[in-house]
Amino acid sequence: MDTLIENWSRNRNPIFLTTTKFKTMPDISTHEWTLGFNWCKSKKRIVKMKEEGNMVACMVSSEKCNFESSKESCRSYLNKDSLDTFDEYSKWIDSHKIIEINKQCWQLSKCSCPYWKKNFICKRLLYGFIIFSNS
């Protein structure tokens, strides 16, 4: 345990050249900007569900769906209370993505997609940022 703490502390010491930097904002690569731009061109509809202070909650239909999101489909998604099979669950979870845009610091926005959970940025966030940054 002591070795673990000592190594972790050494990796965070700014005096050393090999210091592991602690990031509070995600890095956004050119590839991710390109994905966001292409998502904008796809003209997917983002449905604004609520706005509280600096936070805007939105939903968008997934690429795996053959329908465009609407207020009604988003409400139906949020109010689903029972699923009988795993296939039904799998189809339901992939039908919509929930995006929370932080208007004060958009880099701290959230998405329910697996890509965001790994990288803390995704094409939907970049698209939502572009749409809701001036609203």
Side-chain angles (χ1 to χ4, degrees):
M1 182 62 134
D2 291 335
T3 306
L4 175 69
I5 293 171
E6 182 182 330
N7 288 337
W8 187 83
S9 298
R10 190 177 308 133
N11 288 342
R12 299 283 181 224
N13 190 340
I15 295 170
F16 299 114
L17 293 174
T18 58
T19 300
T20 304
K21 303 282 189 230
F22 183 81
K23 296 182 182 181
T24 57
M25 299 282 184
D27 290 330
I28 304 170
S29 68
T30 305
H31 173 71
E32 286 153 342
W33 280 113
T34 305
L35 290 174
F37 176 74
N38 289 335
W39 185 258
C40 288
K41 289 191 327 186
S42 73
K43 297 184 177 163
K44 281 283 199 181
R45 180 168 182 230
I46 288 187
V47 178
K48 186 177 185 180
M49 297 305 286
K50 70 176 179 177
E51 186 170 355
E52 290 180 359
N54 289 323
M55 202 60 116
V56 179
C58 319
M59 291 183 76
V60 64
S61 59
S62 175
E63 300 92 24
K64 297 178 182 178
C65 292
N66 57 358
F67 61 87
E68 201 62 39
S69 59
S70 65
K71 285 253 186 200
E72 188 174 308
S73 72
C74 293
R75 281 192 199 108
S76 171
Y77 176 86
L78 293 172
N79 294 328
K80 185 80 170 170
D81 57 359
S82 67
L83 300 163
D84 297 327
T85 66
F86 182 77
D87 289 338
E88 197 176 309
Y89 168 77
S90 180
K91 185 177 177 185
W92 171 78
I93 200 73
D94 283 339
S95 66
H96 288 79
K97 302 299 178 210
I98 300 170
I99 308 165
E100 292 180 12
I101 305 291
N102 185 332
K103 293 189 338 182
Q104 191 171 21
C105 183
W106 70 271
Q107 293 95 332
L108 300 178
S109 300
K110 300 175 185 174
C111 182
S112 64
C113 73
Y115 190 85
W116 181 87
K117 290 175 183 170
K118 183 176 182 182
N119 302 294
F120 300 106
I121 192 72
C122 74
K123 60 188 175 188
R124 290 168 204 83
L125 280 184
L126 296 172
Y127 181 43
F129 160 68
I130 292 167
I131 290 176
F132 294 109
S133 64
N134 296 323
S135 65

